[in-house]
Structures are given as C-alpha cells and as structure tokens.
Amino acid sequence: MDKLMNNHWFMKVIALLLAFMLYLSVTLEETGSSSSPFNSSSRSGSTSNEETQTIQDVPVTAYFDDDKYIVSGLPETVDITLKGSKSDIKLQRDVKVYANLENLKPGNHQVKLHHNIDDGLNVEIDPKTVQVTIEGKVSKKFPLEVSLASDQIKSGYVAGTPSVSPKSVVVTGGKSQIESISSVKALVEEDDADSTIKQQAKVVAFDRNLNKLNVDINPEFVQVNIPIKRESKSVPLKFEASGTPSEGVKVTSIEPQIKEAVIYGDEDVLKSVSEISEIPVDVSDISGTETIEVNVPLPEGIKRVSPESVKVKVNTSEGSTKEEEVKEDEKETAEKETTKPEETTTEEEEKEQEKEDKEETDSTRTISGVSLSIGGQSDSFLYQMLTPSNGTISISATGPKDTIQSLSAGDISASVSASGYEAGTYTLPISVSGPSGVQITPNTSTAKIEITAKEQQEEEPPPEEEEEEDQQGEQTTNYEQQQEQNPANSE
C-alpha cells in the first residue's frame, strides 16, 4: 500500500477520478430538482440555468444617529425578487436591506432601499423607495394610569384605589408622537379577579383614538397593586325584643353598640336592601340591665355582612304583674265610661299634651371633642383617620335634663368599623352610643380612613453609643463630685 501511495501515476489517476465525480455532482444539481430556502416565483425551463426566486419578509435596517433622531414610516420588512443562475441564487446567504439616512436632516424624505446582494444577480426590492419622517428626539414625563376593565373582575367584586410604583414614566419619541399621546397606562393582565392584584404590568402609550404608539418608555414595566373586595353598602340595623321577660320585668329599651352594618353582594341585590330589620333580641329571663351578643342575619341574596354579630344592651324596669295590669285597664275603661262628654279630651289634645310634657322634661345639648376610634383592625395593616383630621366629632344628645347637663365627651362612644377591608381609602359610617335613655346623633354621619399594608421594619442596632455616652456622663459626674468634696486637690 505504501508503494502505491508513493507512485505518482497512481495519485494522478485518483485525482482525475475525484475531479470527474465533482463535475458530475455539480451538473446533476443544476439540471435535477433540488430544495431551496427561497420561494420560487417562476422558472425559464427545466433545462435552463436561469431562475427567478423571491425572498419574503427581509428586515429593513435604517442607518442614522438614533441618539438624536426618531425615524417613522420605514417598513419593518420587504420582499426581494432575485433573477439569475441557480448556483448564484443558492449562494446568497444573510440577505440584508437598508436605508442610509445619515446625511438627511429632520423632515420628510423619499429614500431608496439598498441591498447587499452580488452584482451578478438582477435584484428587485418591493417597495423600491419609501417615504420616511425624521424628527428630533423628545423626552417627556407622563403620569401613569392603571388599566383594569370591569369584566376582568369577578362578579360581586369591585376594585379599590390602585397604587402603582413608580407613579410616572419617561416617554421618548418624535415631537409629533409625544404631542399625540393622550394617556400612558399600565396594562393589568387578570381574569375573574377576586383578591388583591399584585403584578408587574407593561406600560403602553395611547393616542386620542386609543391607538398604541411606537415610542420608548422608561421603565417599560411597573409594579401594580389593586385591592379587590366584594361590592358593599352600609345599612341601618333594627332590633326588636323576642321571648317573654320574667314576671314583673318590663323591657324599656334596646341599645345596640353599632347601629349600621356593611353588606356585600351583587349590585342589583344591594340596591334592593335598605335595612336589616326585625333582628330578634331574646329577652327571656332578663332582669335589670344586661348586654348580650346578637347575630346579624343575612338578607336574601346578600353574601356577607360585617360585623356578623353586635353587642346589644337591654334595659328593663320592674313593672306590674299581669293581674294588676288587667285591673288597671278595667279601671281606666270604667273612668272613661263615667266621664262626661264635655270633659273628654280629644286624641290630638292628648298627643299635644304628651309632647309638651316631654319638652319640659327633656333637654338637647351639643357636645364636641368626642373621640372617634377605628374598630375591626387587622395586624397586617396600618390605619389612619383622614376625615375628621383631628379624630374627634361633635354629637347632639337628647334626654332627661339632669342626665344631659352632666354628660361629657368621655361618656360618648363613637367608632367606625374597618373589619374586612383591604388596603385603600374608604368612607365608613359612624356609630355612636351613650348612656341609657339618651338619644345620640353625630353631626357628621361618615368618616374617611386610609388603610395601608404594614412594611417589615428593620431592627434598630443596639444603642451602644448611648451606653458609652451614659458611662462617660457618669464618670464626669463622679469626678465633679470628688472635686467639690476636695477643693484642695483642684487648686
């Protein structure tokens, strides 16, 4: 074998065979069918070496100073048609189309598109020329809006006030683009939301026709937080005594600590509920004054009520027995029958007299400085009273003169219930209560509060410097005391 390899005639024959095989290979490829990465639009014949092929969706590149200018009107892609030999077409790789705008000034220009294809082929670009607009780059800060459609929220729920970080973005584009911006929004991607939304949202600029604008936005994504809660409404609570009290005991009044509740449900159901009435309070076996907890029933169609239970103070007094009441009724009936017609007072006169008697015994007084508290707080949130800003209200109290005259702000309880609310700003009804027999009416019926999520606070480092200062202070004090005791030493 080594001898054959060293024989120059043998190597010449091998080289000739390889050349012949290469010739056959090229000839067969040109005359036979072969696959191509291009789309063929036409052929001149099965035996011809000429071919026409189209390359579709070729990206267009613009050369210009993109630090100073913005170009619009340039198509993203074009189609190129190549005509020439099959072998030359097959050799085309990494085809590029570009527009040279480096020497053009701001304004409108008709520019020709160029390519990087060899001169041996006939090249047609569709389109050959394009109309472009060159503008100076402009940057402007825009406030952010959060885009969340109502159909993105589950039925029976509503979105609270959204928060976004950062609250504004910088938009960069051509002058005409910046002037056409109508809004810049963070687009929330959510479906059937029934809990607080926390996500990174993409920022998009829109014109007045809600068309998206091709501009640069910094930052492109922002953090969005939207509280989602059930639709709610505040309604008054009406209680009534149920059961039979002990013999000789009469229920004089029922005083709930909270007079309103928040109900949750669909909007159409909420509209049909104006109050929760006839809430039964079991007064069986009650004597004196007692405070009991009563469950608040759910009206039909309502999904939730807050609070679910209310403490109610039941006031009683010792009354007459049933037999005595019957005798008293019989006595009043007999007196009415024996009374002369001319001495009988009309029903209107009796009501007027009762009103005058009540006016003589009752008194009304306005008391200010009543502290307003926030009930139903959660450890996960911080609560702040926005309105009234000083956290106090004024009330109007009506009742017996002696009681009203001695009444002070400390005797009145005023609060709003934040139970079940997520982070956000809310206007809540004010509930007030006071001593038995006194009617309390707040001069303002609602308060505005803000609820924010607690942030984890960093632990403060140990006050080592304060300890050192305290020690130095003690040493200085001891030294001064020694000097006072031994004045000779100081001299």
Side-chain angles (χ1 to χ4, degrees):
M1 187 66 180
D2 293 337
K3 290 181 179 181
L4 290 175
M5 297 297 293
N6 293 327
N7 190 328
H8 67 282
W9 287 107
F10 177 77
M11 297 302 297
K12 290 180 179 179
V13 172
I14 294 298
L16 181 61
L17 290 174
L18 291 174
F20 181 70
M21 292 174 63
L22 181 61
Y23 169 77
L24 290 177
S25 175
V26 172
T27 303
L28 290 174
E29 286 184 0
E30 290 184 354
T31 58
S33 59
S34 61
S35 61
S36 172
F38 305 125
N39 296 326
S40 178
S41 59
S42 66
R43 295 180 182 270
S44 59
S46 60
T47 59
S48 175
N49 194 32
E50 294 293 322
E51 186 176 55
T52 299
Q53 292 187 351
T54 300
I55 310 173
Q56 296 179 338
D57 298 329
V58 179
V60 178
T61 303
Y63 295 110
F64 65 99
D65 189 352
D66 57 0
D67 291 333
K68 295 182 180 179
Y69 303 105
I70 293 289
V71 174
S72 59
L74 196 67
E76 294 183 1
T77 62
V78 294
D79 295 339
I80 296 181
T81 301
L82 306 179
K83 294 181 180 180
S85 67
K86 297 176 183 179
S87 58
D88 288 342
I89 292 176
K90 289 182 64 176
L91 291 175
Q92 299 307 313
R93 297 289 185 270
D94 192 23
V95 177
K96 293 182 180 179
V97 175
Y98 61 92
N100 188 0
L101 312 176
E102 291 181 344
N103 297 324
L104 298 180
K105 295 181 179 180
N108 297 322
H109 302 275
Q110 189 82 12
V111 296
K112 183 179 180 181
L113 298 181
H114 303 276
H115 59 81
N116 65 338
I117 300 174
D118 296 338
D119 294 337
L121 293 173
N122 184 9
V123 181
E124 293 183 3
I125 303 175
D126 184 22
K128 295 180 181 180
T129 60
V130 293
Q131 181 80 20
V132 299
T133 301
I134 303 176
E135 296 181 283
K137 229 175 199 181
V138 177
S139 295
K140 184 178 179 181
K141 182 181 287 188
F142 286 87
L144 264 180
E145 302 176 17
V146 177
S147 176
L148 180 68
S150 58
D151 57 2
Q152 293 178 266
I153 305 174
K154 193 173 182 179
S155 177
Y157 290 79
V158 293
T161 303
S163 61
V164 59
S165 179
K167 296 183 179 180
S168 61
V169 294
V170 176
V171 182
T172 302
K175 182 179 178 182
S176 61
Q177 289 178 311
I178 299 300
E179 291 177 349
S180 68
I181 293 177
S182 174
S183 60
V184 180
K185 298 183 179 182
L187 304 182
V188 176
E189 296 181 357
E190 195 67 35
D191 189 24
D192 282 345
D194 59 0
S195 61
T196 298
I197 299 174
K198 294 181 180 180
Q199 65 174 236
Q200 289 280 330
K202 182 178 176 62
V203 182
V204 177
F206 295 91
D207 64 10
R208 294 171 182 82
N209 297 322
L210 297 181
N211 298 315
K212 292 183 181 180
L213 299 175
N214 184 21
V215 291
D216 294 329
I217 301 176
N218 185 31
E220 187 178 359
F221 290 87
V222 294
Q223 181 65 38
V224 174
N225 188 345
I226 308 175
I228 303 295
K229 61 183 183 66
R230 290 185 182 273
E231 292 186 337
S232 62
K233 173 183 177 182
S234 295
V235 294
L237 302 176
K238 301 294 181 65
F239 297 86
E240 65 178 17
S242 67
T244 304
S246 302
E247 186 174 355
V249 174
K250 183 179 180 181
V251 176
T252 57
S253 64
I254 296 176
E255 301 175 2
Q257 289 186 355
I258 298 176
K259 296 183 179 180
E260 290 187 343
V262 179
I263 56 176
Y264 300 84
D266 295 333
E267 183 179 1
D268 54 346
V269 178
L270 291 176
K271 290 180 180 179
S272 64
V273 180
S274 59
E275 65 178 14
I276 303 179
S277 58
E278 299 181 358
I279 303 176
V281 179
D282 189 6
V283 297
S284 302
D285 302 327
I286 286 183
S287 60
T289 299
E290 293 187 18
T291 299
I292 59 177
E293 191 163 353
V294 179
N295 293 328
V296 179
L298 279 177
E300 185 178 357
I302 297 300
K303 299 175 181 178
R304 180 173 164 241
V305 62
S306 178
E308 296 179 353
S309 62
V310 175
K311 289 185 178 180
V312 176
K313 183 166 69 173
V314 180
N315 299 311
T316 64
S317 63
E318 293 185 359
S320 58
T321 63
K322 292 183 178 180
E323 293 180 357
E324 291 175 345
E325 291 177 357
V326 172
K327 290 181 180 180
E328 186 67 25
D329 292 340
E330 292 177 351
K331 181 178 179 181
E332 291 179 358
T333 302
E335 288 178 352
K336 290 180 181 179
E337 291 177 352
T338 56
T339 302
K340 294 181 181 180
E342 58 270 19
E343 296 178 357
T344 301
T345 58
T346 65
E347 184 177 351
E348 289 77 14
E349 291 174 346
E350 290 177 354
K351 289 183 179 179
E352 186 66 27
Q353 185 64 37
E354 289 177 359
K355 183 177 179 181
E356 292 176 358
D357 293 342
K358 186 174 182 181
E359 290 177 352
E360 292 177 358
T361 57
D362 286 355
S363 175
T364 300
R365 176 184 166 203
T366 300
I367 301 175
S368 59
V370 177
S371 297
L372 181 61
S373 62
I374 302 175
Q377 298 188 21
S378 170
D379 295 337
S380 303
F381 299 98
L382 295 174
Y383 299 81
Q384 180 182 2
M385 186 76 67
L386 300 179
T387 306
S389 58
N390 60 355
T392 63
I393 62 171
S394 298
I395 61 94
S396 177
T398 302
K401 288 184 179 181
D402 295 340
T403 304
I404 296 300
Q405 290 177 358
S406 61
L407 201 62
S408 65
D411 299 323
I412 309 300
S413 174
S415 64
V416 294
S417 176
S419 176
Y421 286 89
E422 300 288 341
T425 303
Y426 304 95
T427 300
L428 303 177
I430 298 176
S431 299
V432 294
S433 62
S436 174
V438 177
Q439 181 180 354
I440 307 296
T441 304
N443 290 357
T444 177
S445 60
T446 59
K448 190 175 184 180
I449 69 170
E450 182 179 31
I451 306 175
T452 56
K454 284 186 177 179
E455 296 182 356
Q456 187 175 2
Q457 299 180 350
E458 297 181 357
E459 295 183 1
E460 297 182 357
E464 296 177 357
E465 297 181 359
E466 294 181 3
E467 293 178 1
E468 293 177 2
E469 292 177 359
D470 293 340
Q471 292 175 1
Q472 293 177 0
E474 291 176 2
Q475 293 175 0
T476 302
T477 303
N478 293 336
Y479 176 80
E480 292 175 353
Q481 291 177 354
Q482 291 175 3
Q483 292 299 319
E484 291 176 359
Q485 295 174 1
N486 301 305
N489 296 336
S490 62
E491 295 176 357

